[in-house]
Amino acid sequence: MKRLTLLLAGAALSLGMTLPASDPLTVSEGDEHGHDSSASAPEGPHDRPPLDVVLDIHTDAWLRAPSEDWFEAQAELDPDRFSYVDDLLDIDGDTEGGYQDKLGEYELRYDAEEDEIAYWQYISADRLTQGRRDYVQFCSSCHGFDGDGYGRSGQHLRPPPRNFTKPFYKFTKVPGHLLPSDESLILLVERGLNGTPMLPWALSRDQLNDIIQYLKSLSPEGVGWRDVYSEVGHIVESDGDPWTGREAEAIQAGQDVYHGTAKCYSCHPGYVTPEKLAEINGLPAGSMPRENFTYPIAKITENYEVQGVPMLLLPPDFTWQDVRAGTTPLELFETIGAGIGGTAMPQWKGSLSDKDIWAMAYYVRSLIETYKGHPEKRAEFMSSLRTGR
Amino acid sequence: MNALRLSFNPAKTLTRVLASSFALFLFSAGVSAQDVVNRWGPTPSASSYGDDFDDLFWLITALVSVSFALVVILLVVPLIRDRARPGKKASYDHGTSLHDKRFTACVSIIVFVVLDAWVLVIAMEDLQTGFWNYPNPDNAATYKVEVLGQQWAWNFRATGLDGEFGTPDDILTTNTLTVPKDRPISMNFTSKDVIHSFFLPDMRTKRDVNPGSVNIAWFEPVIAGDFDILCAELCGFAHYQMYGKLHVLEQDVFDTWEKEASLMAQAAYDKNDTEAHWAWEWQE
Ligand SMILES: [Cu+2]
């Protein structure tokens, strides 16, 4: 009898009737039982007005170009294209020298209103259109049709997708007070950000280049790439790894810098016992710099916001959260050296020696390799630090 | 020259070639069936109901293979037997006689009753005892997860230690889901944008993830380890990159993990950032 029922149920199913158990349930709007009055399931796309996405761009753009050093380097590589001209600009009778681009893509221009001279890059409307088309296809679901970081799929997402109308970037490995170079942005998009929905994008260099130009052009007048005063920087450089072959030593040195001079533990967790910390800093034993020393402290950052609400960013615990912009010593050197733009994490290149930054890169990597993804081992390590506190 | 031409009989040669290659096929298939399954077959089942699913899968594969072989034989044998030869005219038969019609009807009924109904009954039984046999949500052993799909990532929300959604200790992860072994894992799905499909191949679990409604599914992992999470519904350009990892931990390791994850979640929680609080009321 039971078999017959099942058979009938199966027949009904194949006739397109739905069984109660597989009935889709409707989402409750709002929330009566949860603890957060604003909590609600996301609504379907059918509730939204039809999309009206403009794909073509009709105005050319002039965007800020890198500084003179970059042109100097380009002139060496390609002397036919770039050359230094002593009287490139004539400003009220005074001549100003600068690099000239035979192709006319880059130009030194004088802004009379601000009384500033700066290099600019010309991007044609065709190129922007090309970039916009690819952007809409690949990036807009998260970053929004207008690049405001609030696309359909980017909603409720933490960290939120970048808002390209603001000049803040976290992981380009270019010091945070500078705008990222084209190269750094292309590399970032190619590599993606580990542990976030920002994927590695396997697009052609030409496509990426056009997309990047389009992203830059989203800066409003007077901001970012449309600001005469802003400066375009480059990925921090290193003269080479001073610790090759001496990894264990580097990790030890890195631990000392991390918990000593650099005080990374003021935001990230500390990974040593109170005694060790006192020893590194030459302090009386037992004094702790802060509560919950082995946990990170989240920081509010106005530069990153969603619908006007500033974001709370958690400096990663390297034994727990994902490090997004790469975990090789070189990548970590660049990340730590440049700092995380727009956040509390400063640029360390310059204030610490390269050798110390490399050491910390090795130290951070050793924390990741030893403990991340090994909850038992990590728990043992962390509780060994916490006991006796 | 002449003799050679006479002794060459195309039909006979064709028969021999066919027969020997079929034998070769059977032989090689017999020897390496295990290899074939290991290389191209499914990964071992890692969930409580996965073996039922696999049994059904192999049963269907076997039934279909046998039927296929039979049909091929029934086709090829008359083709060769009744072909035109010197002194014999090929015979043509459209199967229109009453006898033939009866025969066809009987075979159809037998195939339907024996094969289809058999498979259907087992399938329905498996669904009743497995996939649709949802765990009791009020049972403390049931581990609940809300899954929010999007282009192109999986967002997970677990209740944390307090057992309730929408609280500061909710464990939020992207593309990685950590669950305890030997406990029923109950899931609610919805999507922000387009239709996705949550697929755990090793758990033999798959469920559509639709915007605007909540779907449910469950599984019980019986093997600890790392497994794939895939999207099984073409959902846009980066669909192929929409994958994650399922970590199944032994209960004691899981407890350590959950406690710490809950504390981390609280460190990152911002009560003013209401747009990030996307939990919904649990659906059963
Ligand atoms: Cu998908």
Side-chain angles (χ1 to χ4, degrees):
Chain A
M1 196 54 216
K2 187 164 168 251
R3 299 211 156 200
L4 189 68
T5 335
L6 286 174
L7 192 61
L8 286 176
L13 189 71
S14 44
L15 285 175
M17 290 153 79
T18 16
L19 284 167
S22 65
D23 248 346
L25 300 148
T26 35
V27 181
S28 61
E29 294 289 335
D31 181 43
E32 298 100 45
H33 298 269
H35 296 246
D36 205 295
S37 59
S38 65
S40 69
E43 8 157 303
H46 48 269
D47 299 329
R48 308 203 329 153
L51 295 173
D52 183 15
V53 185
V54 180
L55 289 177
D56 293 339
I57 295 172
H58 301 289
T59 40
D60 304 336
W62 280 97
L63 306 173
R64 285 305 315 279
S67 54
E68 194 140 299
D69 316 349
W70 184 79
F71 286 96
E72 206 179 319
Q74 295 302 307
E76 248 164 58
L77 292 174
D78 192 355
D80 290 341
R81 179 170 171 189
F82 295 96
S83 53
Y84 193 83
V85 178
D86 281 327
D87 50 354
L88 191 60
L89 289 182
D90 177 9
I91 305 157
D92 304 333
D94 289 339
T95 53
E96 191 67 47
Y99 284 90
Q100 194 177 35
D101 174 11
K102 297 248 160 45
L103 299 184
E105 185 180 351
Y106 296 96
E107 220 175 277
L108 186 68
R109 307 175 117 207
Y110 174 64
D111 183 329
E113 214 169 289
E114 302 283 342
D115 192 24
E116 273 286 316
I117 307 174
Y119 283 97
W120 294 81
Q121 183 182 7
Y122 169 79
I123 315 286
S124 70
D126 277 353
R127 198 164 168 204
L128 289 177
T129 301
Q130 211 52 50
R132 164 131 183 104
R133 284 171 179 267
D134 284 342
Y135 172 86
V136 166
Q137 185 180 356
F138 304 129
C139 324
S140 64
S141 59
C142 286
H143 291 282
F145 289 114
D146 308 317
D148 60 357
Y150 202 61
R152 176 88 217 163
S153 320
Q155 295 172 20
H156 317 290
L157 197 61
R158 295 297 174 272
R162 199 64 63 248
N163 176 347
F164 297 121
T165 62
K166 300 198 160 202
F168 302 110
Y169 289 84
K170 286 186 198 165
F171 303 112
T172 57
K173 304 178 190 235
V174 173
H177 61 284
L178 305 172
L179 291 175
S181 61
D182 290 5
E183 186 62 19
S184 72
L185 284 169
I186 290 176
L187 279 177
L188 185 141
V189 178
E190 266 183 346
R191 289 178 187 160
L193 296 171
N194 183 31
T196 78
M198 175 68 202
L199 305 164
W201 287 92
L203 303 173
S204 75
R205 274 281 160 145
D206 283 345
Q207 277 177 308
L208 285 172
N209 214 327
D210 291 347
I211 295 176
I212 294 304
Q213 302 309 335
Y214 169 69
L215 295 186
K216 287 162 42 180
S217 77
L218 291 168
S219 295
E221 209 47 60
V223 176
W225 280 274
R226 293 186 198 264
D227 174 7
V228 255
Y229 295 109
S230 57
E231 224 182 289
V232 177
H234 297 280
I235 296 180
V236 293
E237 274 174 28
S238 148
D239 296 333
D241 179 354
W243 299 98
T244 18
R246 294 185 294 146
E247 247 183 66
E249 216 178 305
I251 293 169
Q252 211 49 48
Q255 187 185 49
D256 288 356
V257 184
Y258 184 101
H259 297 95
T261 4
K263 295 198 168 34
C264 308
Y265 58 72
S266 52
C267 302
H268 297 274
Y271 300 98
V272 293
T273 58
E275 295 75 46
K276 181 76 184 165
L277 186 73
E279 185 198 313
I280 292 173
N281 288 290
L283 291 170
S287 58
M288 288 304 284
R290 64 173 172 91
E291 283 278 292
N292 293 328
F293 180 63
T294 54
Y295 286 95
I297 298 185
K299 306 265 168 181
I300 285 272
T301 315
E302 302 273 343
N303 295 334
Y304 299 105
E305 40 93 31
V306 173
Q307 307 287 290
V309 179
M311 288 293 106
L312 189 70
L313 301 181
L314 191 70
D317 175 343
F318 307 112
T319 66
W320 190 268
Q321 274 92 12
D322 285 308
V323 164
R324 298 184 188 138
T327 55
T328 64
L330 177 62
E331 284 169 324
L332 284 167
F333 170 87
E334 289 171 348
T335 305
I336 301 169
I340 312 285
T343 77
M345 177 156 154
Q347 168 189 357
W348 291 99
K349 177 136 175 132
S351 43
L352 291 176
S353 71
D354 275 19
K355 197 173 172 197
D356 283 352
I357 301 175
W358 272 107
M360 283 194 294
Y362 274 104
Y363 176 58
V364 168
R365 190 180 68 141
S366 80
L367 289 171
I368 298 169
E369 282 190 344
T370 321
Y371 301 112
K372 185 152 186 299
H374 308 284
E376 266 177 306
K377 203 166 167 190
R378 175 185 181 276
E380 212 173 288
F381 170 61
M382 293 311 255
S383 63
S384 78
L385 305 178
R386 285 166 196 161
T387 44
R389 183 156 54 85
Chain B
M1 207 43 198
N2 228 355
L4 195 76
R5 197 185 297 150
L6 274 177
S7 74
F8 178 72
N9 181 333
K12 223 174 224 163
T13 315
L14 185 69
T15 321
R16 284 194 191 125
V17 169
L18 272 178
S20 50
S21 51
F22 190 61
L24 198 67
F25 169 77
L26 285 181
F27 173 73
S28 57
V31 171
S32 61
Q34 201 53 46
D35 284 1
V36 171
V37 170
N38 285 348
R39 197 172 304 171
W40 290 296
T43 49
S45 151
S47 72
S48 58
Y49 57 56
D51 286 335
D52 292 344
F53 181 101
D54 286 1
D55 290 348
L56 185 61
F57 176 84
W58 291 118
L59 175 70
I60 295 176
T61 308
L63 290 178
V64 169
S65 306
V66 169
S67 320
F68 178 71
L70 272 174
V71 169
V72 168
I73 290 168
L74 287 177
L75 245 160
V76 170
V77 167
L79 265 182
I80 296 166
R81 195 189 58 196
D82 301 333
R83 71 185 187 281
R85 273 166 291 192
K88 185 177 186 300
K89 212 168 161 260
S91 62
Y92 296 91
D93 186 349
H94 293 264
T96 42
S97 70
L98 189 61
H99 168 268
D100 286 351
K101 281 181 180 163
R102 278 208 196 116
F103 178 74
T104 312
C106 284
V107 170
S108 308
I109 289 170
I110 290 170
V111 166
F112 179 76
V113 172
V114 175
L115 302 192
D116 291 336
W118 184 14
V119 166
L120 194 62
V121 166
I122 298 179
M124 295 308 292
E125 267 181 349
D126 286 353
L127 283 170
Q128 295 279 308
T129 56
F131 203 68
W132 289 341
N133 189 13
Y134 297 102
N136 179 357
D138 301 325
N139 185 343
T142 307
Y143 187 72
K144 296 181 197 158
V145 186
E146 290 188 349
V147 182
L148 180 58
Q150 68 165 84
Q151 282 178 332
W152 289 284
W154 296 108
N155 301 281
F156 301 104
R157 179 183 286 267
T159 60
L161 295 179
D162 66 358
E164 279 185 71
F165 287 103
T167 53
D169 78 337
D170 281 8
I171 301 166
L172 287 160
T173 51
T174 303
N175 290 340
T176 55
L177 174 60
T178 306
V179 297
K181 191 184 142 225
D182 292 332
R183 271 170 64 183
I185 315 299
S186 193
M187 297 174 294
N188 266 200
F189 306 98
T190 193
S191 163
K192 284 183 199 177
D193 35 46
V194 300
I195 302 178
H196 303 276
S197 182
F198 188 79
F199 185 21
L200 300 173
D202 305 274
M203 304 295 157
R204 311 292 191 253
T205 303
K206 191 192 276 171
R207 200 75 168 118
D208 267 12
V209 177
N210 302 341
S213 71
V214 173
N215 270 353
I216 56 180
W218 79 284
F219 68 98
E220 183 176 320
V222 293
I223 299 176
D226 292 353
F227 304 97
D228 288 335
I229 300 174
L230 305 174
C231 178
E233 183 69 65
L234 181 58
C235 60
F237 178 80
H239 164 65
Y240 72 106
Q241 290 207 60
M242 189 171 164
Y243 58 74
K245 275 281 170 229
L246 174 74
H247 303 298
V248 179
L249 302 179
E250 297 286 352
Q251 185 63 47
D252 52 340
V253 186
F254 179 80
D255 287 342
T256 323
W257 178 87
E258 190 184 30
K259 203 166 130 239
E260 193 68 5
S262 226
L263 282 170
M264 275 301 174
Q266 286 171 56
Y269 181 80
D270 181 1
K271 72 173 188 328
N272 298 320
D273 186 11
T274 51
E275 206 259 354
H277 307 164
W278 51 263
W280 58 85
E281 213 181 304
W282 186 253
Q283 310 279 316
E284 282 145 26

